[in-house]
């Protein structure tokens, strides 16, 4: 599943390792790929079992967490765990997501895991946007996941303060995303959409009629019609589109 992180726990203390494993197992968006009592053991395992996130103890024999973190793939997110707060600065120097001081509560663990999820989702979205499918769609963040929306399925977009609602043909409910109208407008293909109101953007080929003060937008089969207001400042560009 795309919204689940494969993670590993590395700690040479059996009780600490067991506690972190229990935290992973009760967190819905985490999947345990492995639990290791040494960094050397984990280093070998990561070659065949890649992970998105590692909860990593710093002070360990043979190979400590700081050195280990510099040897693994840079795409792996790191949350350091340790009983010694003097390591905090070093932890951030290797671009750790977070630094947890033992004994670690589940609340602190969950907050760190949540930050890691956000970072991984950002990376995944960037990869999607670089792929060919991005030419006919966008990914928008809705609650805790990214939703793919195809341009040719869009009907209209409604702005609501800090959020936008994206209405698409065939979808019973709009997609709600924390984004400004200016932000969503900048991601739409030029020439396919038109701003008709401060709070509304419509797809041009969905417009069926233009009347005084509003436009009618239809879904694919014409079963649903949506009455969209036209703002005074947008009438001229709508007139140019129609004529």
């Amino acid at each position: 599943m795309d919204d689940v992180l494969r993670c590993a726990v590395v700690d040479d203390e059996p009780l600490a390792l067991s506690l972190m494993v229990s935290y992973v197992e009760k967190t819905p968006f985490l999947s345990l790929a492995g639990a290791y009592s040494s960094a050397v053991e984990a280093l070998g395992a990561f070659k065949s079992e890649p992970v998105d996130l590692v909860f990593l103890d710093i002070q360990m024999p043979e190979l400590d967490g700081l050195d280990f973190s510099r040897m693994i793939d840079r795409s792996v997110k790191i949350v350091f765990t340790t009983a010694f707060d003097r390591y905090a600065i070093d932890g951030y120097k290797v671009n750790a997501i977070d630094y947890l001081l033992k004994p670690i509560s589940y609340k602190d663990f969950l907050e760190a895991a949540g930050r890691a999820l956000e970072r991984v989702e950002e990376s995944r979205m960037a990869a999607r946007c670089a792929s060919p499918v991005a030419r006919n769609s966008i990914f928008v963040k809705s609650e805790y996941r990214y939703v793919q929306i195809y341009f040719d399925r869009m009907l209209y977009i409604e702005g609501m303060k800090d959020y936008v609602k994206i209405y698409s043909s065939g979808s019973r409910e709009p997609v709600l995303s924390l984004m400004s109208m200016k932000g969503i407008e900048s991601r739409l293909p030029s020439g396919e959409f038109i701003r008709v109101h401060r709070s509304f953007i419509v797809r041009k080929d969905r417009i069926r009629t233009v009347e005084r003060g509003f436009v009618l937008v239809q879904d694919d089969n014409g079963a649903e019609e949506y009455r969209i207001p036209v703002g005074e400042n947008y009438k001229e560009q709508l007139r140019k589109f129609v004529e």
Side-chain angles (χ1 to χ4, degrees):
M1 292 176 64
D2 225 10
D3 55 349
V4 172
L5 303 186
R6 286 176 52 82
C7 69
V9 180
V10 184
D11 199 311
D12 65 320
E13 298 176 13
L15 291 179
L17 184 67
S18 177
L19 177 66
M20 296 299 285
V21 166
S22 71
Y23 285 171
V24 170
E25 290 177 339
K26 70 178 181 180
T27 303
F29 59 85
L30 297 181
S31 172
L32 184 65
Y36 309 99
S37 58
S38 78
V40 174
E41 180 187 4
L43 193 62
F46 281 14
K47 294 178 182 178
S48 58
E49 292 287 341
V51 297
D52 302 304
L53 168 66
V54 56
F55 293 93
L56 179 62
D57 186 28
I58 292 180
Q59 193 175 50
M60 292 183 289
E62 296 182 300
L63 180 64
D64 68 33
L66 291 173
D67 288 335
F68 173 82
S69 68
R70 298 183 180 100
M71 300 171 69
I72 61 176
D73 194 300
R74 291 181 61 84
S75 66
V76 178
K77 310 307 177 189
I78 297 170
V79 174
F80 281 122
T81 63
T82 184
F84 304 96
D85 59 7
R86 70 175 184 271
Y87 290 111
I89 295 177
D90 288 333
Y92 288 114
K93 283 181 180 177
V94 295
N95 199 29
I97 295 291
D98 211 336
Y99 172 90
L100 300 178
L101 190 62
K102 299 176 181 179
I104 300 167
S105 69
Y106 182 63
K107 175 180 177 295
D108 289 342
F109 171 91
L110 191 59
E111 288 177 353
R115 281 189 282 273
L117 178 62
E118 289 180 2
R119 295 277 190 91
V120 171
E121 284 182 334
E122 288 170 1
S123 298
R124 288 172 176 172
M125 187 181 74
R128 287 167 179 156
C129 290
S131 69
V133 74
R135 299 170 188 168
N136 58 12
S137 67
I138 56 173
F139 283 87
V140 299
K141 190 170 185 179
S142 182
E143 295 182 340
Y144 298 104
R145 63 181 60 196
Y146 286 92
V147 179
Q148 184 180 23
I149 303 177
Y150 289 90
F151 295 129
D152 62 0
R153 304 290 295 169
M154 286 186 186
L155 298 172
Y156 67 95
I157 300 164
E158 180 182 4
M160 302 178 63
K161 293 186 178 180
D162 298 326
Y163 290 83
V164 295
K165 283 184 176 181
I166 304 172
Y167 294 80
S168 297
S169 183
S171 299
R172 300 183 65 179
E173 298 292 335
V175 174
L176 182 66
S177 181
L178 179 61
M179 191 186 310
S180 67
M181 287 291 279
K182 184 177 180 180
I184 186 69
E185 190 173 23
S186 69
R187 299 182 62 192
L188 299 174
S190 176
E192 296 183 23
F193 292 82
I194 184 169
R195 186 87 170 259
V196 298
H197 188 278
R198 181 181 178 183
S199 301
F200 290 93
I201 299 171
V202 300
R203 184 171 173 86
K204 290 179 178 179
D205 61 8
R206 297 290 183 170
I207 297 175
R208 294 296 175 261
T209 62
V210 178
E211 301 183 24
R212 182 177 297 179
F214 65 90
V215 297
L216 285 179
V217 174
Q218 279 188 342
D219 66 5
D220 282 340
N221 56 21
E224 295 286 344
E225 279 191 341
Y226 304 89
R227 187 183 176 105
I228 310 299
V230 176
E232 190 66 33
N233 294 337
Y234 301 89
K235 287 183 177 179
E236 180 61 20
Q237 67 176 0
L238 181 62
R239 183 189 65 79
K240 291 179 180 179
F241 162 65
V242 173
E243 296 178 352

